[in-house]
Structure formats: C-alpha cells, structure tokens
Amino acid sequence: MSGSIVVVLIILAIIATVAIVATVVVVVRDGRGHVPTEPSQRPWTAGNLPSQPYSLIRF
C-alpha cells in the first residue's frame, strides 16, 4: 500500500472511533431513554371539545 493511503485509512479510523465514542456519551447523558412521567392532572375539556387536536388523540 502506498503511504498516503495508509494515512487516509488511519484518519478515517480515528474519525470513526471519535464518532462512536461521541454517540455513546450522548446516549448515556440522555438518561438512556428516560421518559418523563405523565402529568397527574387530566387534560381539560369543554363539553365535547378535546384539549388536544383530533389528530393527536389515540382512541
């Protein structure tokens, strides 16, 4: 292999390693998918009108 190709491969390997480490750090800092609890109060309603758009309501 030519010397310049080896240098390019080493640089690509370093970039890939840094990207993997950065991804792991972001996932760990995010709380590993922690989902906040639902609010204890029910959403308001005014008669038959919902508090959310119909497109967001899951029946």
Side-chain angles (χ1 to χ4, degrees):
M1 285 186 149
S2 170
S4 61
I5 294 176
V6 173
V7 172
V8 170
L9 290 176
I10 291 173
I11 291 173
L12 288 175
I14 291 172
I15 291 173
T17 304
V18 169
I20 291 169
V21 170
T23 302
V24 170
V25 168
V26 168
V27 168
V28 169
R29 283 188 183 168
D30 185 37
R32 297 186 180 137
H34 173 72
V35 179
T37 59
E38 291 187 25
S40 60
Q41 298 175 349
R42 292 184 50 89
W44 63 270
T45 57
N48 292 332
L49 299 174
S51 61
Q52 299 177 344
Y54 285 112
S55 61
L56 296 178
I57 296 177
R58 298 177 191 220
F59 295 101

